[in-house]
Amino acid sequence: MRLVLFGPPGSGKGTQAPFLTERYGIAQVSPGETLREDAREQTELGKVAQTYMEKGELVPDDVIITLIRERVSRPDAAAGFVLDGCPRTLPQAEALDRMLVAQDAPLDRVLYLKVSQEVLEKRLGGRWTCPHCGRVYSEVVPEKTRGICDDDGVELIQRDDDQPEAVKRRIQVYIDKTMPVLEYYRRKGLVLELNGDQSVEEIRDEIMRALDGGD
Ligand code: AP5
């Protein structure tokens, strides 16, 4: 199964993706997470990406397209994948289509998590991340000891791009550059719209009903 998880920053893409990988035995392809790992390790790519990410800007298309191409050609993606947070621009969507046409492996569904701006701002303001392993905590996924990562005992921080100014910019960039991708997929009849304001479990069940029931 080849899926795109689509939605604004904070809509729950990263929360729902692991469920899909587990249930359908597919790989998670998450450029944002890959770039954050690179930034933590201060690789050349990570240092460049960080300058865009901390301001809430998109990383250039050529970087992302190379990253997606490399990731979807790995053996663990042979049975399928869920793209979490990409494509985010029309050139990325077109490049992905070319890759998949060449493999005769079209996308099955684009799962659109529609969430109100008020809920997004609340979720992003309440998200805490481990600077060491990247694990995410929040009201709905709380840590055992307040402010400390369950896995490695490190103090949790807020992502630079979860600061209010960067959040505003990310939402604007989403409206300007990423919403046209939704229209692109709507025209292809691939979009399944979900109410992303619901609980994690309600969204998960709705996705499962649609994918398993063939809605
Ligand atoms: P990326 O990491 O992809 O971030 P994003 O799309 O902005 O999404 P987030 O990770 O902020 O949110 P999410 O939708 O995954 O929500 P989450 O599940 O965490 O990208 C970061 C940056 O990398 C970009 O700004 C850009 O610079 C760069 N980048 C990445 N991809 C790129 C691309 N293709 N092109 C160019 N640049 C790219 O949930 C959010 C919070 O809400 C969590 O705390 C969670 O616990 C909570 N939550 C989730 N679901 C629910 C729910 N149903 N109810 C209550 N709380 C919930």
Side-chain angles (χ1 to χ4, degrees):
M1 189 172 313
R2 287 169 296 275
L3 304 169
V4 168
L5 258 178
F6 189 96
S11 55
K13 303 182 294 296
T15 300
Q16 297 294 335
F19 151 70
L20 294 166
T21 62
E22 197 175 312
R23 183 165 181 90
Y24 301 107
I26 55 179
Q28 180 173 350
V29 178
S30 175
E33 195 44 52
T34 304
L35 295 171
R36 272 189 294 282
E37 262 170 43
D38 273 83
R40 279 197 291 277
E41 288 163 15
Q42 286 290 286
T43 65
E44 283 312 307
L45 171 64
K47 286 185 206 164
V48 173
Q50 198 170 13
T51 63
Y52 294 93
M53 294 168 81
E54 64 194 9
K55 287 185 283 195
E57 299 295 339
L58 295 182
V59 172
D61 284 337
D62 56 340
V63 173
I64 299 291
I65 291 166
T66 305
L67 201 150
I68 301 174
R69 183 173 293 119
E70 190 277 321
R71 189 62 190 85
V72 300
S73 61
R74 283 195 211 162
D76 71 332
F81 50 77
V82 52
L83 294 168
D84 153 23
C86 68
R88 269 169 131 104
T89 63
L90 285 174
Q92 289 179 22
E94 287 159 359
L96 175 67
D97 271 357
R98 286 194 294 276
M99 276 177 230
L100 297 181
V101 164
Q103 296 170 11
D104 196 19
L107 283 177
D108 292 298
R109 276 296 175 112
V110 174
L111 307 170
Y112 168 39
L113 297 172
K114 188 176 182 192
V115 180
S116 64
Q117 181 150 346
E118 197 190 330
V119 171
L120 293 179
E121 289 178 5
K122 182 166 176 273
R123 284 190 193 165
L124 293 174
R127 173 167 61 186
W128 293 84
T129 306
C130 174
H132 189 243
C133 67
R135 189 167 163 184
V136 172
Y137 299 90
S138 69
E139 214 173 65
V140 292
V141 194
E143 63 278 22
K144 290 191 187 112
T145 307
R146 198 177 164 79
I148 303 293
C149 179
D150 294 353
D151 292 337
D152 42 30
V154 172
E155 201 168 324
L156 304 178
I157 57 161
Q158 284 204 292
R159 270 168 49 176
D160 287 337
D161 63 351
D162 281 348
Q163 302 304 321
E165 276 314 300
V167 167
K168 279 202 184 74
R169 182 66 197 141
R170 285 162 70 201
I171 292 174
Q172 194 56 49
V173 167
Y174 171 79
I175 293 167
D176 295 343
K177 299 199 173 149
T178 307
M179 282 301 274
V181 176
L182 186 63
E183 288 317 308
Y184 175 86
Y185 285 132
R186 275 197 208 283
R187 283 197 295 276
K188 291 175 180 277
L190 288 172
V191 176
L192 172 70
E193 187 170 312
L194 300 144
N195 173 5
D197 283 353
Q198 302 175 93
S199 72
V200 173
E201 294 73 23
E202 284 167 330
I203 298 168
R204 179 180 306 171
D205 290 348
E206 207 180 321
I207 293 176
M208 207 166 60
R209 274 198 303 276
L211 295 182
D212 295 352
D215 288 5

